[in-house]
Amino acid sequence: MGLYELFLGTLEITLPVFAMVFLGLALKRLGWIDQAFIATASSLVFKATMPTLIFLSIIKADLDATLNPALLVFFALATLGSFLTAWGWAILRVPRADRGVYVQGAFRGNCGIVGLALAAGMYGDYGLSAGGLLLGVVILTYNVFSVIALATYREGPRTNWRSIIGHIARNPLILAVMAAVPVAALELRLPGWLMTSGEYFASLTLPLALICIGATLSLGSIKASGRLATGASLMKMVTLPLLTTLAARLVGFEGRELGVLFLFFASPTAAASFVMAKAMGGNAILTANIIALTTLLASLTITLGVFLLRVVGWV
């Protein structure tokens, strides 16, 4: 296969995902969807359709082929390494008041929506099931590390760790993974009508979620992005995906496992970062700028990254 055909094949994976994001941006600007729709749809995705999608993808998967403890452990360690790298750089180059927000924006990716959508587009059912299992690690590590960074530089009342741990334990995505793994391990079979209904419901997840991401983008925030937002965005979209993907290759990951890892590492900053930064008294404007800029960059950096990995034959 020539480079031109390989590049077109790469676009077929990434363009549908980012086309939905920019469709969301267009629909919001046209006034066809409003903030009330975005809030309702986002809540529906997080609480119901995405857990259903993850649950079904795992119970339909062959766990012997999908469940890889080494993959989960490596992702957790790579996330820790990314977190410490971003924090070390922030200590050297970022004003103290903005360090927590900078660190969170630089390492916390939108794996649950963008990463999972790209993994599904690239690897089908395997991408969904492997990505669903990884989300358990994602939710735990991202939330804990984000709170540590934000709490360290927070002014005011101390962080309520009991409340944070409770929110993580009740996260619908983690509950979906915990419910699905024993069902898949015991090879239990749900009635056909229930599986079909569940698949109809789960199919709402990625289109709705991607449209909501696009609808929340602010072109004004992108234009207003300063040095800190640009620096955090380049670290999130270029530096850390490059380092973590090379590390994954060096320890022996290849093929679809390396591909899923790259897509998760290279996902733009999660929208949840804004909510957490605001709740903990961080610089919410800086967070919004980072989210907007990384989402815009993602269409370029992820496409180029997948293309290069396919050229060298690693995925």
Side-chain angles (χ1 to χ4, degrees):
M1 182 182 294
L3 289 179
Y4 179 71
E5 289 80 7
L6 197 59
F7 183 68
L8 289 181
T10 302
L11 289 179
E12 289 179 1
I13 296 169
T14 58
L15 275 185
V17 172
F18 294 109
M20 295 301 293
V21 172
F22 291 114
L23 176 62
L25 176 61
L27 291 175
K28 179 69 183 312
R29 291 178 70 85
L30 289 170
W32 292 7
I33 58 177
D34 56 14
Q35 197 58 46
F37 171 86
I38 296 167
T40 301
S42 297
S43 178
L44 178 65
V45 167
F46 177 69
K47 294 179 180 178
T49 67
M50 184 171 285
T52 303
L53 176 67
I54 292 171
F55 179 84
L56 292 178
S57 65
I58 292 175
I59 68 170
K60 291 191 297 183
D62 178 4
L63 284 189
D64 292 334
T66 305
L67 181 57
N68 184 346
L71 189 74
L72 303 181
V73 171
F74 176 83
F75 186 87
L77 293 175
T79 301
L80 174 61
S82 299
F83 170 68
L84 295 176
T85 299
W87 200 343
W89 183 261
I91 290 173
L92 295 175
R93 303 297 295 270
V94 178
R96 179 178 176 81
D98 290 329
R99 285 176 189 170
V101 167
Y102 182 97
V103 171
Q104 182 185 221
F107 92 92
R108 184 175 187 168
N110 197 343
C111 302
I113 298 174
V114 177
L116 195 65
L118 289 166
M122 193 162 177
Y123 296 114
D125 289 340
Y126 172 83
L128 278 175
S129 55
L133 292 170
L134 273 176
L135 283 182
V137 179
V138 166
I139 295 163
L140 183 63
T141 56
Y142 280 7
N143 280 283
V144 170
F145 293 159
S146 293
V147 171
I148 289 173
L150 292 167
T152 299
Y153 300 103
R154 180 184 188 182
E155 296 182 1
R158 297 181 62 183
T159 301
N160 187 341
W161 281 95
R162 179 176 296 179
S163 175
I164 292 168
I165 292 171
H167 281 300
I168 294 173
R170 296 192 300 270
N171 187 293
L173 306 184
I174 287 184
L175 294 177
V177 174
M178 292 176 62
V181 169
V183 172
L186 296 173
E187 298 184 352
L188 301 179
R189 292 290 175 262
L190 300 182
W193 69 267
L194 185 58
M195 288 291 292
T196 301
S197 299
E199 288 168 357
Y200 287 161
F201 189 58
S203 66
L204 297 171
T205 302
L206 298 179
L208 265 184
L210 293 170
I211 285 173
C212 288
I213 288 177
T216 55
L217 279 181
S218 170
L219 296 181
S221 293
I222 295 173
K223 293 176 183 177
S225 297
R227 178 182 63 85
L228 291 182
T230 302
S233 299
L234 290 175
M235 180 173 288
K236 178 68 194 75
M237 301 310 300
V238 180
T239 306
L240 293 179
L242 177 62
L243 294 176
T244 49
T245 303
L246 287 175
R249 174 63 179 175
L250 287 174
V251 300
F253 291 107
E254 59 184 4
R256 59 187 186 178
E257 291 178 347
L258 183 63
V260 170
L261 284 173
F262 168 75
L263 294 173
F264 271 49
F265 291 142
S267 295
T269 302
S273 301
F274 178 83
V275 177
M276 185 168 286
K278 195 169 184 178
M280 297 187 66
N283 188 337
I285 295 175
L286 175 59
T287 305
N289 291 346
I290 295 171
I291 293 169
L293 191 54
T294 55
T295 303
L296 185 65
L297 284 172
S299 58
L300 300 175
T301 57
I302 294 177
T303 300
L304 182 59
V306 171
F307 174 65
L308 292 176
L309 287 173
R310 297 180 77 183
V311 167
V312 299
W314 288 6
V315 300

